Amino acid sequence: MSAALPTVSREIQLASRPLGRPAQENFRIAESGVPELQDGQVLVRNQFMSVDPYMRGRMNDAKSYSAPFRLDAALDGGAAGEVIASRSDAHKVGDVVVHQLGWREYAVVDAAAATPVPAGLAPTSAFLGALGMTGLTAYAGLLKVAEFKAGDVVFVSGAAGAVGSMVGQIAKAMGASRVIGSAGSPDKVARLLDLGFDAAFNYNDAPVLEQLQAAAGEAGIDVYFDNVGGEHLEAALSVLNAGGRVAMCGAISQYNSTEPAAAPRNLAVAIGKQLTLRGFLVGGQRQHAAEFAAKMAVWLRDGTVRYDETIVDGLENAPQAFMDLLDGANTGKMLVRL
Ligand code: NAP
């Protein structure tokens, strides 16, 4: 290894576990040594890291679908950056890769755990969003999990966020008869209409049920893509047509809760309406990644799908970016530029 390579990297560690809303005191910035590269590894200088709602669950010391973050150790998650040293034939110096060791400046990554970012298709950041995990979540959740078909009326919550904004636009591209979105501010509602949603409402303005009924009218809804849970899910169950499908993607309204959810109270309507509610994880949808990537590349190129990013600068600001994401400060994908 050349002497010019970094030996120390700044990282964000979990200092304590939050009860309810996370706070700055739950995080600390620290320095740690960069381990020497072994055969089959690459050293990556991270350029972007992703902050994602699921990371809130990993701050708890509770079994969930991904392992809890360890106390006094660096957090991890999606990141993209440039290979600055390589002991692998798979990636050479100068390549840009996506990997799972975010929340730090430099990462020693097993070559097999790094995915190359194709040159020229889109800016690097897009591979953590529209062309990455976020986009695949939207694509597979809508088409494979909810079994969307042309002519369906689709409702998506968290619609101005990273996943939600993709869901609405993919539904339109694939022939939805109507797409309805909900979000938490007037600016976000305006953005949804600009992105081609047929109707959008601010869930803070009035009860979700009332606004969803007004937006759906007589047609009702056929598919609900749930990013929020709680009151949103309850309202959607009421408005879904017979045979309707729900892709249960997330329940962000409950991630900081210390009490069990109060809604939905009407789950039994699923019986009479013969609804399908299916939870899913993007990790279980990787078999659709190539199909998704090919379609999304075309949609981005021809302008069918557009994506927003909210970018925060500086590793030291990553904890605040994460907390702001949970509070809805982002439009589109929330990223930290290192
Ligand atoms: P995101 O939507 O870009 O960001 C989170 C958004 O949630 C915020 O911008 C905020 O927007 C909204 N929000 C926060 N608290 C809320 C509340 N109490 N009620 C309603 N909305 C609230 O994040 P994302 O990465 O695209 O994730 C969206 C959802 O998908 C999350 O639930 C996440 O856990 C889930 N997800 C699941 C998978 C999977 O494999 N199943 C993969 C990726 C993401 P507003 O301003 O509109 O409130």
Side-chain angles (χ1 to χ4, degrees):
M1 269 170 64
S2 135
L5 291 176
T7 54
V8 168
S9 171
R10 291 191 311 156
E11 63 186 28
I12 303 293
Q13 299 180 345
L14 183 66
S16 59
R17 298 193 189 278
L19 184 68
R21 288 162 66 87
Q24 282 288 352
E25 69 200 32
N26 302 127
F27 304 88
R28 87 163 68 85
I29 189 156
E31 287 192 343
S32 94
V34 177
E36 199 171 318
L37 277 194
Q38 305 297 314
D39 279 344
Q41 292 184 324
V42 293
L43 176 61
V44 180
R45 183 175 63 80
N46 283 337
Q47 296 167 328
F48 289 95
M49 54 163 273
S50 178
V51 287
D52 295 274
Y54 79 91
M55 293 170 175
R56 175 63 191 85
R58 297 186 66 195
M59 295 182 80
N60 298 335
D61 189 16
K63 194 171 173 340
S64 78
Y65 57 84
S66 54
F69 292 130
R70 285 188 301 122
L71 276 177
D72 303 319
L75 281 69
D76 58 76
E82 185 184 351
V83 174
I84 58 169
S86 175
R87 287 185 61 179
S88 158
D89 293 337
H91 310 290
K92 59 181 190 310
V93 170
D95 286 355
V96 177
V97 294
V98 169
H99 61 91
Q100 285 302 313
L101 291 177
W103 294 91
R104 69 201 74 195
E105 288 171 320
Y106 297 97
V108 172
V109 183
D110 289 339
T115 307
V117 164
L121 184 56
T124 299
S125 57
F127 292 86
L128 295 174
L131 281 161
M133 188 270 281
T134 297
L136 178 60
T137 303
Y139 181 86
L142 180 69
L143 300 179
K144 314 296 178 182
V145 178
E147 298 183 359
F148 167 88
K149 52 186 188 324
D152 280 343
V153 179
V154 174
F155 170 48
V156 55
S157 54
V163 172
S165 58
M166 293 294 114
V167 170
Q169 293 181 84
I170 294 170
K172 286 299 284 186
M174 303 288 289
S177 64
R178 189 168 168 76
V179 174
I180 302 164
S182 69
S185 75
D187 286 353
K188 289 185 181 185
V189 167
R191 180 61 181 153
L192 293 177
L193 298 175
D194 181 45
L195 288 175
F197 283 62
D198 299 287
F201 62 86
N202 177 351
Y203 64 81
N204 293 308
D205 282 350
V208 177
L209 178 59
E210 208 173 277
Q211 299 196 78
L212 179 58
Q213 278 170 332
E218 289 292 302
I221 61 174
D222 302 301
V223 167
Y224 173 46
F225 193 107
D226 190 16
N227 287 317
V228 168
E231 186 195 352
H232 271 86
L233 179 55
E234 184 171 301
L237 290 171
S238 289
V239 177
L240 273 159
N241 296 323
R245 289 94 65 208
V246 181
M248 298 184 66
C249 177
I252 197 164
S253 67
Q254 292 155 29
Y255 292 175
N256 284 331
S257 298
T258 52
E259 301 292 326
R265 297 163 295 184
N266 58 344
L267 191 54
V269 302
I271 303 164
K273 293 191 196 180
Q274 303 186 71
L275 304 180
T276 304
L277 284 76
R278 281 180 69 189
F280 75 102
L281 293 174
V282 63
Q285 302 291 326
R286 290 210 179 96
Q287 67 276 25
H288 305 300
E291 172 191 314
F292 152 72
K295 284 227 172 66
M296 186 56 86
V298 173
W299 286 330
L300 290 180
R301 211 166 25 235
D302 71 12
T304 301
V305 172
R306 290 174 285 160
Y307 64 89
D308 293 320
E309 295 174 329
T310 302
I311 296 183
V312 171
D313 278 299
L315 178 71
E316 63 282 4
N317 295 319
Q320 192 60 52
F322 170 68
M323 292 184 280
D324 288 348
L325 166 83
L326 296 177
D327 288 341
N330 60 307
T331 299
K333 180 75 190 119
M334 185 69 128
L335 293 168
V336 179
R337 182 163 39 207
L338 306 182

